[in-house]
Amino acid sequence: MGASAPVTMMMPSWTTEQWMALVTLTMTHLCNGMCVSLQAPFYPAEATKKGASATEYGLVFGIFELTVFIVSPIIGKYLPRIGIERAFSGGITITGSMCVAFGFLNRVNNGKIFIGLSFVIRIMEAFGNSAFLSSSFTWWLRCFLTQCPQCLGWWRCPLELA
């Protein structure tokens, strides 16, 4: 048997803007995924202590996805007016701020106010997340239109990891 040729791996020849976009999108999606994932292990126990039922705190988690489903097409329609950068920055800022606000809910003692604030915070977080995701997909396509399939995994992997 003959010796096989060594396999070499070459780095993609992307522009500086493409590398910066990849790093930015990867890090923001990693952090976004961690923020959203960190709520699930702690919230049900806290909600139960406040007197909330499983149905109530289940709806708090479900309202996020429902809001994203409703709001994302609207943001997508107005994204050219809003601007990709503004929607990205504003969306991730709102999402992060609402994650921090969600962390302070344990200070609310009244169960009904706790659930009400939980809904408000999760809906606002979903608005921010919709803007963030819509703009990041658009930004991604703008930077990597011709190489989209080969580097989409680099960008999506951190979100799934989180």
Side-chain angles (χ1 to χ4, degrees):
M1 293 193 170
S4 61
V7 177
T8 58
M9 193 168 153
M10 295 180 56
M11 293 295 288
S13 58
W14 294 335
T15 65
T16 303
E17 180 186 2
Q18 287 175 313
W19 280 109
M20 293 304 292
L22 179 69
V23 169
T24 302
L25 289 167
T26 300
M27 293 309 296
T28 53
H29 278 264
L30 176 67
C31 293
N32 182 48
M34 286 190 297
C35 284
V36 172
S37 299
L38 281 174
Q39 296 169 357
F42 304 106
Y43 184 75
E46 189 65 33
T48 303
K49 281 196 281 187
K50 306 289 183 185
S53 69
T55 303
E56 289 173 320
Y57 63 76
L59 288 171
V60 168
F61 284 114
I63 196 69
F64 179 88
E65 299 301 333
L66 179 62
T67 304
V68 168
F69 177 76
I70 293 168
V71 171
S72 288
I74 298 166
I75 289 178
K77 178 180 179 180
Y78 291 104
L79 195 57
R81 282 192 202 166
I82 299 168
I84 295 170
E85 291 81 7
R86 186 178 298 147
F88 182 84
S89 298
I92 199 69
T93 300
I94 291 169
T95 302
S97 300
M98 292 303 105
C99 283
V100 170
F102 202 80
F104 284 102
L105 282 173
N106 64 334
R107 304 203 184 274
V108 177
N109 293 323
N110 184 299
K112 297 298 178 194
I113 294 173
F114 175 83
I115 290 295
L117 286 174
S118 297
F119 273 107
V120 169
I121 290 170
R122 290 291 285 176
I123 289 168
M124 290 175 63
E125 183 182 9
F127 268 86
N129 202 48
S130 295
F132 163 66
L133 289 176
S134 296
S135 61
S136 63
F137 282 119
T138 306
W139 185 13
W140 182 262
L141 287 173
R142 185 177 71 184
C143 289
F144 298 100
L145 186 59
T146 58
Q147 301 107 346
C148 192
Q150 76 187 66
C151 52
L152 183 61
W154 288 32
W155 171 48
R156 293 294 296 174
C157 187
L159 178 63
E160 304 306 324
L161 179 65

